[in-house]
Structures are given as structure tokens and as C-alpha cells.
Amino acid sequence: MWSIVAAAAYPSRVIGRSGKLPWRISLELRLFRELTWGGILVMGRRTWESITSPLPGREIWLLSRQMTEFPHGRIFATPSELVKALANQSKPVFFAGGEMIFRWAIGIPEVQRLYLTWIFIHTEGDTTFPAISEEEWQPYAWEYFYEGCISFTRVEYHRQKQALQ
Ligand SMILES: NC(=O)c1ccc[n+]([C@@H]2O[C@H](COP(=O)([O-])OP(=O)(O)OC[C@H]3O[C@@H](n4cnc5c(N)ncnc54)[C@H](OP(=O)(O)O)[C@@H]3O)[C@@H](O)[C@H]2O)c1
């Protein structure tokens, strides 16, 4: 199964600021870890630079035109090479950001799940999650959480089959 996993401010869809997450919510990070454990995380070079160390229990596959070597996982210079290599994998695949990766992944037909955590917070940012079509992405399950004074909801969306024209 190929999925997107993201957290975005509601309703602005902000996901990042100055190369980092605009919030620090340890429970949300734990949910991310539990969901993605044992899988492949596909991320862009800038997101990798914000993490800088390998994440236990997961493989990292990086997309970058600039970097040619990546000792912590696999690296690809083009989306098509990466998708081709993913097709031979049996592990669950998670497209994990940032904005450029989300905008690409939302258009990949094999991506059938979207785990989007809406964070009810007003925040400035420079990167956003793309707007999603409510007809195409339907909420299947959701759960509410809070940490301190921040509340958030994790929604699992399923991609609907397109109506035949
Ligand atoms: N809230 C969340 O769920 C979440 C998750 C992840 C990240 N983030 C945030 O998102 C922000 C980063 O997002 P971003 O959009 O600036 O960067 P990004 O998507 O993480 O990485 C962009 C880089 O990926 C590579 N890339 C993208 N498209 C490519 C293509 N078609 N071919 C080859 N390489 C390609 C390029 O690397 P090169 O420049 O090396 O060629 C590009 O500069 C940060 O603030 C981060 O904290 C938020």
C-alpha cells in the first residue's frame, strides 16, 4: 500500500516554516512513528535536512537532483526512477514530505491512502499541503487528540475511484 502521511495546520494547510515544522507535538511524532514503522519513507532533500539522522525502523528514500550519495538509504534523481524502484517493494510506502513531495505524490495513482493530521493552530509558514478534492479523497476514519493546548485530528482518507465519463 502506498500512502501520504502529513500534518497540516487547519485551515491554512501550512506544513513548514524555514525548513522545519512550525510546531513541536510529541504525540503527533509518536503517531507518525507508529504508522510508518517497518515501511519506506519517501522524502525530499529539504525534509531530510530538517531531520538529519536516520529514523529507526524505517528506510529512507530520498529525491534530490543535487545530492549524489546518501549513506542512510537510497537516493534518486528523478521521480520516475524512484517510482519504478518502489514498484518492486513489498513494504508499505509513505510519502512523507515536504511540499514538493506531497504535490507530486497526490497525483500518483498508486497512492490510495492519505493520513492527514489537521492541527488546529494559527501559524505562519512558507510551505503548504496541496488542496485536496473532497470528491476524490473521502474521510474513512478519524481520531481526535490533544497535547497541552493544541488539539489535532488524524484523518485517514481513501482515494475514491473516479467516476467513468
Ligand atoms: N508537516 C508535515 O507533515 C511535513 C512533513 C515533511 C516536511 N515538512 C516541512 O516541509 C518543508 C520542506 O518542504 P519543501 O517543499 O521545501 O522541500 P522537500 O519537498 O522536502 O524537498 C524538496 C527537494 O526535493 C528534491 N526534489 C523535489 N522534486 C524533485 C524532482 N522532481 N526531481 C528531483 N528532485 C526533486 C529537490 O532536492 P534538490 O534541491 O537536492 O535537488 C528539492 O529541492 C520543511 O519546512 C519541512 O519541515 C512538513
Side-chain angles (χ1 to χ4, degrees):
M1 177 67 71
W2 294 9
S3 310
I4 292 172
V5 56
Y10 187 89
S12 64
R13 292 186 277 107
V14 162
I15 60 161
R17 182 172 62 226
S18 308
K20 300 208 168 78
L21 295 177
W23 48 76
R24 176 143 192 94
I25 308 173
S26 50
L27 176 55
E28 210 284 313
L29 295 176
R30 205 174 82 210
L31 293 171
F32 174 82
R33 180 185 160 102
E34 284 170 5
L35 175 69
T36 59
W37 194 265
I40 295 170
L41 297 176
V42 177
M43 62 179 71
R45 191 259 309 159
R46 292 189 201 147
T47 292
W48 164 251
E49 284 179 352
S50 73
I51 296 174
T52 67
S53 60
L55 298 174
R58 285 142 300 173
E59 282 184 36
I60 294 180
W61 288 25
L62 205 64
L63 191 59
S64 171
R65 294 185 194 92
Q66 288 179 28
M67 286 170 62
T68 49
E69 284 180 23
F70 182 54
H72 305 293
R74 296 183 64 177
I75 187 157
F76 299 85
T78 65
S80 57
E81 282 171 49
L82 196 151
V83 164
K84 210 169 149 189
L86 279 180
N88 302 320
Q89 291 295 319
S90 54
K91 288 184 175 181
V93 174
F94 298 94
F95 291 83
E99 176 176 331
M100 286 190 193
I101 296 312
F102 291 142
R103 288 186 187 280
W104 159 52
I106 204 96
I108 301 174
E110 289 87 351
V111 173
Q112 292 288 323
R113 297 279 183 274
L114 164 60
Y115 296 90
L116 185 50
T117 300
W118 290 111
I119 300 176
F120 300 103
I121 180 177
H122 174 77
T123 181
E124 303 296 320
D126 51 24
T127 39
T128 54
F129 193 82
I132 53 169
S133 143
E134 287 179 14
E135 268 176 32
E136 189 172 7
W137 291 99
Q138 296 210 336
Y140 173 79
W142 49 91
E143 233 180 320
Y144 291 90
F145 303 90
Y146 64 91
E147 184 170 292
C149 57
I150 301 178
S151 62
F152 55 101
T153 175
R154 151 80 61 84
V155 185
E156 176 183 337
Y157 295 89
H158 290 189
R159 197 199 285 271
Q160 300 304 298
K161 289 195 174 59
Q162 294 296 296
L164 294 172
Q165 299 293 325

